[in-house]
Amino acid sequence: MLSLKDPSLLGPYAAAPNQTGAVSGHFTVFNPATAAAIADVADLDVTRVRDKIDAAYVARPDWSARTADERCALMLRWSRLMRDNIEDLSVILTAEMGKPLAEARSEIEYATSYIDWFAEEGRRIYGDIIPAHEKTKRIFVLKQPVGVAALITPWNFPSAMIARKAAPAMAAGCSVVARPSEMTPLSALAMCVLAERAGIPSGVLSVVPSTDAAGIGAEFCSNTKVRKLSFTGSTRIGSLLMRQAAGDIKKLSLELGGNAPFVVFDDADLDKAVAGALLAKFRNAGQTCVCANRIYVQKGVYDAFAEKLSQAIAKFNVGDGMSHDTQIGPLISPAALLKVEEHIQDAVRNGATIRQGGRRHPGGGQYFEPTVLTGVSDEMKVAREETFGPVAPLFAFDTVEEVIERSNDTEFGLAAYFYTQDLGRAWRVAEALDVGMVGVNTAAISTAQAPFGGIKQSGIGREGSKYGINEYLELKYVCMET
Ligand code: SIN
């Protein structure tokens, strides 16, 4: 059960667990830290989701006809209400997802930063006037909202990913139907309640909780009233949605898997590099798509880096995110725990050494000890697949050319990080890495101001920044005879 100052934040689709008849046709949301049921949530089927798409379609003309100033004011009121309710929103987020309260709080702030940014950016959707090809003609370019946008968001950032997609869509004048992960629907439902309280008109933002991921995905892709689909999740599902959306030629944004290299050169400030690795690898217990998955350390500093990193992670408090001193929460599911174990076993079987951690945490449940592996090689699963857990595999390398080649030797291209004090090398390596985002001497790269997204099988399109709003706009060129 959740203890909230304002229980009505969960809205009409959620109720305390086991209240007979409170929500019909429901599924239960569990706390990954305790396995306790925290809420029963209405399980919307495709027909009810179609109704929400219809409502979004009806709401869109009025919403897009409003001035950007009006949309901006309503959206800023929404983000202010989120900040006013940050304690409850953080408790909801930690209870359903497991991340420590401090991280949950930062996520709510991060979510509101996208709403604030795009609320303002909506006022700067400028068109163009183009010098025409004939004396009597005038050419201008309008930017118009794409239409109804369907969003599918993941469990690892239950508030921020809704905000990062819904905010640019709404600022552009689109209406939105969002399906959050069935593991973490409560944060999205609470955001929707607050949007309504802020005065955002009915139908402009609908959240559709459902366990029918395949059915809702197929509906989003085939429903001709939906003109845009934005998805964050695995490359496998992104590729499936892309194929399904092809039938209706929908505009797509896909934010998919990553396998980020994190490179420490001999000349790096090692303490900074360790601090960066702690963030890039262990934020959200290693469950972010921009997580450092492969940590390459140049041979001259390999042992020193391994020692410093191992010492630092040995101090992490692992436990229930609700306790104020917790730094690493549980993994999201038993399957996530098994994957982490499988990756470690595969590495050890093939010659790696567990330098720190390596086991389920004595706290039981879905907790895993923060882990450092040394002596890892490129054939192991930790090098080829996203571990999505608190495991730092350290690969040794000799030269700049070698580490660039190994970093790029993956079908993914989301983020990369590296540490060096050589300015020339910083430019050259940043340019040579095949990714959408690079952190140079920093691991804190995510921000509303910058374009978030990947290349290769890590996705299509960008979220955040001045580029992010274009994903929800169409260009219309007008040629006028004067
Ligand atoms: C993600 O893991 O999908 C998002 C991470 C971030 O925004 O930093």
Side-chain angles (χ1 to χ4, degrees):
M1 236 330 260
L2 281 170
S3 165
L4 301 176
K5 288 188 208 136
D6 178 1
S8 67
L9 265 185
L10 294 181
Y13 283 148
N18 302 320
Q19 284 185 318
T20 317
V23 231
S24 62
H26 67 262
F27 63 97
T28 302
V29 179
F30 295 94
N31 182 335
T34 61
I38 49 177
D40 286 344
V41 175
D43 195 356
L44 270 55
D45 61 12
V46 169
T47 313
R48 288 174 78 190
V49 171
R50 203 172 290 141
D51 291 346
K52 294 290 180 187
I53 295 171
D54 288 345
Y57 190 75
V58 169
R60 195 192 66 83
D62 168 68
W63 181 245
S64 61
R66 293 183 184 220
T67 63
D69 278 353
E70 277 180 82
R71 288 197 293 270
C72 175
L74 290 170
M75 289 176 65
L76 292 179
R77 202 180 299 156
W78 179 29
S79 69
R80 197 171 58 242
L81 284 177
M82 284 181 64
R83 283 190 292 274
D84 290 347
N85 287 276
I86 194 163
E87 292 314 317
D88 274 353
L89 292 177
S90 311
V91 167
I92 294 169
L93 206 163
T94 293
E96 66 178 350
M97 196 269 136
K99 68 178 60 175
L101 268 179
E103 275 191 48
R105 228 173 266 123
S106 326
E107 182 178 336
I108 305 299
E109 279 160 11
Y110 183 46
T112 59
S113 74
Y114 280 100
I115 300 174
D116 292 348
W117 169 270
F118 281 113
E120 294 293 346
E121 199 59 14
R123 306 161 109 162
R124 290 183 279 273
I125 301 175
Y126 302 127
D128 272 320
I129 297 180
I130 298 177
H133 56 302
E134 285 171 20
K135 267 192 200 156
T136 57
K137 293 230 161 54
R138 300 293 179 271
I139 292 177
F140 48 97
V141 178
L142 308 175
K143 291 186 181 174
Q144 295 182 311
V146 63
V148 174
L151 317 178
I152 303 179
T153 56
W155 51 263
N156 60 345
F157 287 87
S159 293
M161 295 305 102
I162 291 270
R164 192 150 86 187
K165 294 177 191 303
M170 289 160 64
C174 299
S175 50
V176 165
V177 181
R179 178 192 177 268
S181 161
E182 68 269 33
M183 286 190 275
T184 58
L186 302 175
S187 297
L189 288 169
M191 285 172 72
C192 196
V193 167
L194 292 173
E196 205 177 308
R197 284 187 199 166
I200 290 174
S202 165
V204 170
L205 172 66
S206 298
V207 169
V208 290
S210 176
T211 54
D212 185 7
I216 307 305
E219 178 64 22
F220 282 169
C221 289
S222 61
N223 191 313
T224 52
K225 288 181 178 152
V226 173
R227 294 308 325 146
K228 162 83 192 184
L229 175 67
S230 176
F231 167 75
T232 294
S234 70
T235 295
R236 187 177 67 80
I237 300 296
S239 159
L240 173 72
L241 291 168
M242 197 170 176
R243 270 175 276 142
Q244 289 179 337
D248 190 38
I249 318 286
K250 268 190 224 311
K251 204 168 158 85
L252 280 183
S253 294
L254 301 171
E255 207 260 274
L256 309 176
N259 181 2
F262 182 104
V263 181
V264 183
F265 289 102
D266 276 347
D267 69 336
D269 175 329
L270 266 204
D271 291 326
K272 260 196 185 168
V274 170
L278 293 178
L279 183 67
K281 180 68 255 185
F282 295 97
R283 177 168 73 120
N284 207 10
Q287 303 172 108
T288 76
C289 56
V290 286
C291 253
N293 204 50
R294 300 167 287 156
I295 303 185
Y296 293 104
V297 189
Q298 206 160 7
K299 283 188 179 153
V301 292
Y302 187 91
D303 289 334
F305 182 84
E307 181 57 24
K308 278 176 186 273
L309 186 65
S310 301
Q311 279 180 14
I313 68 165
K315 295 192 195 119
F316 274 144
N317 286 320
V318 178
D320 187 336
M322 291 293 178
S323 333
H324 285 271
D325 58 354
T326 293
Q327 291 158 297
I328 305 274
L331 295 183
I332 188 68
S333 64
L337 204 64
L338 285 175
K339 183 174 189 193
V340 165
E341 278 183 327
E342 185 199 321
H343 277 199
I344 293 174
Q345 281 159 11
D346 171 78
V348 169
R349 225 181 4 256
N350 289 292
T353 302
I354 297 174
R355 179 75 177 244
Q356 177 65 39
R359 293 172 304 153
R360 291 183 183 222
H361 190 265
Q366 284 159 213
Y367 298 113
F368 203 88
E369 288 181 347
T371 297
V372 170
L373 298 174
T374 51
V376 285
S377 60
D378 295 351
E379 299 70 41
M380 297 174 183
K381 286 188 177 172
V382 284
R384 315 249 45 107
E385 297 172 21
E386 254 187 315
T387 303
F388 237 61
V391 181
L394 307 189
F395 303 76
F397 75 92
D398 279 308
T399 66
V400 177
E401 294 70 27
E402 173 202 339
V403 81
I404 288 172
E405 194 182 321
R406 288 169 70 189
S407 295
N408 288 342
D409 182 20
T410 166
E411 65 272 32
F412 298 108
L414 189 58
Y417 311 85
F418 66 91
Y419 283 72
T420 180
Q421 302 199 62
D422 177 331
L423 194 55
R425 176 185 289 169
W427 272 109
R428 288 189 297 275
V429 175
E431 285 170 359
L433 290 165
D434 291 340
V435 291
M437 298 174 278
V438 183
V440 185
N441 295 325
T442 179
I445 57 171
S446 305
T447 169
Q449 282 82 347
F452 189 105
I455 61 171
K456 302 200 278 185
Q457 290 189 25
S458 289
I460 296 176
R462 293 295 180 269
E463 298 187 322
S465 80
K466 65 174 183 175
Y467 305 102
I469 205 155
N470 291 332
E471 306 283 333
Y472 297 90
L473 293 167
E474 295 283 17
L475 295 185
K476 183 184 285 171
Y477 141 61
V478 180
C479 182
M480 189 189 284
E481 180 71 38
T482 56

